[in-house]
């Protein structure tokens, strides 16, 4: 993509840092990274790891698109909530179905296993799709060329100057 080729070293550093931060946040809280603070009653499944890693990478790249270049464009006011929605969906997708308090309160323990757990892979796909669409949207906006200002229309003949 043309937008990625125009990135500054600063944007690349932000992309890596943000990807690591998102990866650590989601991985730590959902216990994909084993830790003594959180626990998980149901072990992760194979697809949790690719969704977690890809969402983290896409999120880091998306965050880097918000880093201004040396000469900021005053008209750059594009934003997208798709990336945030993708991150939240990824959190729900890779988390333990019975450790999710919202699912547990709404469905109960057996409902979380019966109803919420089978939906999690689809949440993961939706998370990846939303984050990827947000990234492509932002990257396309980085290479858009501004239109030149319109030339003033010539005054009609006989008009007062």
């Amino acid at each position: 993509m043309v937008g990625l080729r125009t990135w500054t070293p600063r944007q690349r550093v932000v992309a890596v840092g943000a990807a690591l931060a998102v990866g650590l946040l989601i991985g730590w809280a959902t216990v994909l990274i084993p830790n003594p603070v959180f626990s998980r009653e149901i072990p992760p499944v194979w697809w949790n790891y690719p969704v977690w890693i890809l969402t983290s990478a896409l999120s880091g790249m998306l965050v880097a698109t918000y880093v201004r270049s040396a000469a900021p464009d005053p008209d750059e006011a594009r934003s997208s909530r798709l990336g945030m929605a993708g991150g939240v969906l990824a959190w729900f997708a890779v988390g333990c179905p019975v450790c999710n308090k919202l699912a547990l309160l709404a469905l109960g323990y057996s409902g979380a296993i019966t109803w919420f757990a089978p939906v999690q892979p689809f949440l993961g796909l939706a998370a990846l799709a939303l984050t990827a669409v947000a990234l492509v949207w932002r990257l396309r906006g980085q290479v858009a060329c501004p239109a030149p200002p319109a030339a003033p229309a010539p005054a009609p003949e006989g008009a007062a100057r």
Side-chain angles (χ1 to χ4, degrees):
M1 298 189 96
V2 176
L4 289 175
R5 284 185 250 147
T6 63
W7 276 14
T8 63
R10 181 175 164 207
Q11 285 176 303
R12 291 184 179 132
V13 168
V14 168
V16 171
L20 289 173
V22 169
L24 286 173
L25 177 69
I26 292 176
W28 184 268
T30 61
V31 195
L32 293 176
I33 300 172
N35 64 77
V37 177
F38 297 104
S39 64
R40 188 176 178 123
E41 292 183 35
I42 297 175
V45 292
W46 69 269
W47 58 265
N48 288 156
Y49 294 98
V51 168
W52 168 48
I53 292 167
L54 288 172
T55 301
S56 299
L58 290 171
S59 296
M61 292 167 57
L62 182 61
V63 168
T65 65
Y66 288 91
V67 174
R68 293 188 184 270
S69 62
D73 180 10
D75 293 330
E76 185 181 316
R78 295 178 295 276
S79 66
S80 173
R81 293 188 179 134
L82 295 176
M84 182 63 78
V88 170
L89 283 178
W91 184 293
F92 285 119
V94 300
C96 172
V98 295
C99 303
N100 181 334
K101 302 302 181 216
L102 294 175
L104 204 55
L105 286 172
L107 304 170
Y109 188 89
S110 63
I113 292 174
T114 306
W115 297 99
F116 185 65
V119 173
Q120 285 183 298
F122 300 107
L123 293 176
L125 289 174
L128 289 172
L130 288 173
T131 310
V133 166
L135 177 61
V136 169
W137 190 354
R138 294 284 304 170
L139 288 173
R140 282 183 37 207
Q142 286 185 337
V143 295
C145 299
E157 286 189 38
R161 290 188 183 191

